[in-house]
Amino acid sequence: TVFLLAGVCPGGLAYPTGAPLQACADMKPLHPPTTTSGQAPFAIKTSTLVYTPGAEITGTIYSPSGVKFRGLLMEVLKTDNTSTDPVGTFDVVDNNTQTQCGQGSKQGLTHVSNSNKTSVTFKWIAPSAPAGDIRFRLSVVESYDVSRYWLGIFSATVQDCSIHPTIVGCKGSPTPPLPASSSARPSSISTLPPTKSTQSPVITSPAKSSIPYDPACGKTKGCFPDASRCSSGCHYLVTWGPAAATDESDIIAFNIKMMLDDMSDVWMAVGLSKTGKMDKTTVAACLTQGGQSFSLSSSYNNGHANVPFSNPTMGLSGMDASVSGKVFSCSFTRLRAMNETNFWNISDPMYILVGTGPVANGLMSQHMVDPVSSSAKINFTAFSIIGEGDRTSILIKAHGALMTVAWLFFSSVGIVVARHCKSILEHKLLLKHKSWFLAHRTMMTLAALCVIAAVVAIFVERKGFSKIVPEVGKEYTKAHPFLGIVVAALTVINPIMALFRPAPESKKRYIFNWAHFFVGTSAHILAVINVFFGCHLSAAHLDKSSALYLMVAYVAVFVAVYIIFEIHNRCSKSSMFANGTAVLNNPVI
């Protein structure tokens, strides 16, 4: 078990240089009662879910939501509870740890200082004789100023190949050791990791192929198919029904099939949601590495973070997974309900979400194509066939529409009017204002209002600043939210500058003219580039080819109009100079 101990704890003992021996028995810190409650924000991932006598297993202690911790104590225990003595020994591979507890003080792992930590790596060596299935047990001290510690954090069960010789990964020889660094590439995982990933993603979306439609859909099974394609085969198909030889009121059997481009390292998952959105969703995920090893994970989404349950397979069992060609198939059973917060009771109707994404460094990385949601809530006691809901939320649609209208229409018209219609309409008035100026100001005001509304819409939709995980080969789309903020800032700055512009006859007017021109032109160019980027975002669910053609056509027309007006203006000025009637104007408003 791992026990994280902090430094000085008011009102209690403190062990800043490691857990004391007396903590090895019950895994509790000698602190005042903890103020924590609910799901622990820490987890354990291991390099494998099977082992043989003498094998080495590496792993990491971390927080999926990025919470820092001070101290730790970890041990390995048998799952059959025949003994409370720790199993195996630890080797120190991380400068933040030291061994403690048990024989030779090497059967537990603890911290060496109470400094803040984001993760700790470890290596465990199995005993030379079969020990049975085991789990890593962890206790963590998050804070000592206010007593916050977490007990009973478990890894997934690691199975003994001596007992289970036929399961995937058991080949009669010790599991080969992995590098001791945190960048080692594990062969399986124990819990769902953070949704952020610094690794290059592997896949993003279903391949162009098909899965046969299940004729039992609507008869003996409920189904969520890829309805738009299932007339000639599906890209994905989720089915559910009562588990065989069980009380159907308690257990539901799920099957997920999905066509994928790359089976090297990938996950697919079913989410159960009360709202149809990813937040507050209970997730059941099947993972494969190379199509050779498989694991099952149970978790829930909290905002943008995915958080594993303390038992990484909570409520799930009976996994049967396989890869055949480009089809990843996984079946499992799920309890309808458990006495656990965020594990939704599916006796109540729920939306179902289906998603997929890459596994990088043994961790489940964030999906890069938004999961597909059902069009309505599902009654899992009925054998209904449900279709897809609208993949794009109304706020994302509003954001895209407002930005498109703002820059491709209002701003474009405003720029052309100010630059090229000024001389033509110089002496024409409308409402006691020069008509060109009134048209320019109206267009730019409408553009600014659209931009502000679009920014508010996307911040509300994403509950803050958007963090984009790009599709493979489209890493440039990560710049979209950053460019958007720059464009919005320039959009607000320009009218503020205009409020303080010098009078037209002022000697310093030219400074404003050029600054106004530079800020406005920069905003327009960056905005158009960002619209191009936005067309390639998975959340937009656009026909990318059509969107690209339309944007190229817009740029071509805008540039052509600009050039035609520029030539016309220069020809007009040349004619005026020739006739001696030229009026010198500023190059910009």
Side-chain angles (χ1 to χ4, degrees):
T1 305
V2 179
F3 179 53
L4 303 178
L5 292 174
V8 177
C9 179
L13 299 177
Y15 298 91
T17 58
L21 285 173
Q22 56 265 44
C24 296
D26 59 8
M27 307 300 291
K28 286 186 178 180
L30 303 180
H31 289 191
T34 182
T35 59
T36 60
S37 63
Q39 183 69 34
F42 303 100
I44 309 165
K45 67 179 178 70
T46 58
S47 59
T48 180
L49 295 180
V50 297
Y51 80 99
T52 54
E56 295 180 2
I57 295 177
T58 59
T60 304
I61 300 164
Y62 69 102
S63 169
S65 54
V67 177
K68 295 180 180 180
F69 57 89
R70 295 295 190 116
L72 65 93
L73 178 64
M74 182 163 68
E75 292 177 356
V76 177
L77 301 176
K78 294 182 178 182
T79 59
D80 61 10
N81 297 320
T82 57
S83 173
T84 58
D85 295 333
V87 176
T89 59
F90 285 94
D91 268 358
V92 174
V93 294
D94 190 310
N95 291 334
N96 287 311
T97 63
Q98 60 183 320
T99 59
Q100 178 66 295
C101 305
Q103 296 180 359
S105 294
K106 293 178 70 76
Q107 292 191 292
L109 195 73
T110 188
H111 57 283
V112 296
S113 73
N114 63 356
S115 61
N116 278 326
K117 305 165 186 66
T118 56
S119 65
V120 167
T121 57
F122 62 84
K123 181 168 71 173
W124 176 78
I125 303 172
S128 57
D133 297 347
I134 53 94
R135 286 198 299 175
F136 291 78
R137 182 183 177 185
L138 172 69
S139 299
V140 175
V141 170
E142 178 186 340
S143 164
Y144 58 87
D145 295 327
V146 176
S147 183
R148 291 182 59 82
Y149 57 84
W150 306 85
L151 307 176
I153 303 169
F154 290 94
S155 73
T157 297
V158 182
Q159 295 178 298
D160 186 344
C161 288
S162 302
I163 301 174
H164 313 282
T166 61
I167 64 174
V168 176
C170 290
K171 298 180 180 179
S173 60
T175 304
L178 295 174
S181 68
S182 60
S183 62
R185 190 177 186 83
S187 59
S188 6
I189 70 171
S190 60
T191 63
L192 293 181
T195 56
K196 300 178 182 178
S197 174
T198 59
Q199 303 299 320
S200 299
V202 178
I203 67 169
T204 60
S205 61
K208 293 184 178 180
S209 187
S210 62
I211 296 168
Y213 186 71
D214 192 334
C217 288
K219 299 175 182 177
T220 60
K221 295 180 181 179
C223 294
F224 179 34
D226 182 10
S228 62
R229 304 179 180 91
C230 273
S231 57
S232 57
C234 308
H235 279 198
Y236 68 84
L237 178 64
V238 180
T239 65
W240 60 89
T246 65
D247 180 354
E248 64 180 60
S249 66
D250 295 329
I251 302 176
I252 295 291
F254 282 89
N255 179 268
I256 318 171
K257 291 181 181 178
M258 188 174 289
M259 298 299 306
L260 300 172
D261 289 325
D262 187 350
M263 291 293 178
S264 56
D265 297 289
V266 63
W267 60 265
M268 62 180 181
V270 168
L272 301 171
S273 170
K274 295 181 179 179
T275 63
K277 295 187 177 182
M278 288 181 287
D279 186 23
K280 305 300 182 184
T281 296
T282 301
V283 180
C286 298
L287 303 96
T288 182
Q289 292 188 299
Q292 299 297 316
S293 61
F294 303 90
S295 57
L296 190 62
S297 292
S298 182
S299 65
Y300 67 94
N301 292 338
N302 184 11
H304 293 293
N306 181 272
V307 183
F309 290 111
S310 57
N311 178 356
T313 58
M314 178 173 290
L316 308 178
S317 62
M319 183 186 72
D320 183 12
S322 65
V323 169
S324 177
K326 289 189 175 183
V327 179
F328 183 10
S329 178
C330 181
S331 60
F332 56 88
T333 59
R334 182 194 191 272
L335 292 176
R336 285 184 178 275
M338 294 191 69
N339 187 22
E340 176 69 34
T341 304
N342 298 312
F343 190 93
W344 298 143
N345 183 343
I346 57 174
S347 294
D348 302 324
M350 295 278 172
Y351 288 95
I352 191 169
L353 291 85
V354 180
T356 181
V359 174
N361 279 347
L363 297 176
M364 180 178 160
S365 298
Q366 183 178 351
H367 56 77
M368 293 158 298
V369 176
D370 283 347
V372 181
S373 174
S374 60
S375 59
K377 289 185 176 181
I378 296 171
N379 180 356
F380 288 95
T381 63
F383 302 138
S384 57
I385 302 174
I386 194 76
E388 292 182 6
D390 191 341
R391 295 192 182 197
T392 307
S393 76
I394 187 65
L395 289 177
I396 291 180
K397 289 179 179 179
H399 173 79
L402 287 167
M403 284 299 193
T404 300
V405 171
W407 297 109
L408 273 60
F409 180 71
F410 291 138
S411 177
S412 298
V413 173
I415 288 173
V416 170
V417 167
R419 176 66 179 170
H420 300 296
C421 297
K422 180 178 179 181
S423 57
I424 299 173
L425 305 173
E426 178 70 25
H427 302 294
K428 293 186 177 182
L429 299 180
L430 181 64
L431 302 176
K432 298 182 180 182
H433 292 279
K434 292 182 178 181
S435 57
W436 71 267
F437 175 72
L438 193 61
H440 171 74
R441 185 172 64 181
T442 300
M443 291 294 103
M444 289 309 192
T445 299
L446 290 173
L449 292 175
C450 285
V451 169
I452 293 170
V455 170
V456 171
I458 201 64
F459 265 76
V460 171
E461 167 66 22
R462 295 303 189 186
K463 294 182 173 61
F465 187 76
S466 295
K467 298 176 182 179
I468 293 173
V469 178
E471 296 182 28
V472 176
K474 297 179 181 178
E475 283 74 16
Y476 55 85
T477 56
K478 291 170 65 175
H480 182 79
F482 299 97
L483 280 178
I485 293 298
V486 172
V487 167
L490 293 175
T491 303
V492 173
I493 289 171
N494 226 14
I496 293 175
M497 289 170 50
L499 292 175
F500 299 97
R501 65 187 184 277
E505 64 275 8
S506 172
K507 293 182 179 180
K508 296 182 179 180
R509 176 72 177 209
Y510 77 95
I511 298 176
F512 163 76
N513 288 343
W514 283 108
H516 189 64
F517 171 79
F518 175 78
V519 172
T521 302
S522 298
H524 190 257
I525 292 173
L526 291 175
V528 171
I529 292 173
N530 218 23
V531 173
F532 270 102
F533 288 175
C535 291
H536 288 88
L537 293 175
S538 63
H541 299 294
L542 293 175
D543 181 333
K544 294 179 176 57
S545 297
S546 298
L548 179 62
Y549 291 145
L550 288 174
M551 286 303 299
V552 170
Y554 158 77
V555 172
V557 170
F558 182 80
V559 171
V561 169
Y562 200 92
I563 292 174
I564 290 170
F565 270 109
E566 195 70 33
I567 293 173
H568 175 269
N569 283 353
R570 290 185 182 277
C571 290
S572 297
K573 286 182 180 179
S574 297
S575 176
M576 290 179 184
F577 276 116
N579 296 330
T581 59
V583 177
L584 294 178
N585 291 317
N586 287 320
V588 290
I589 64 171

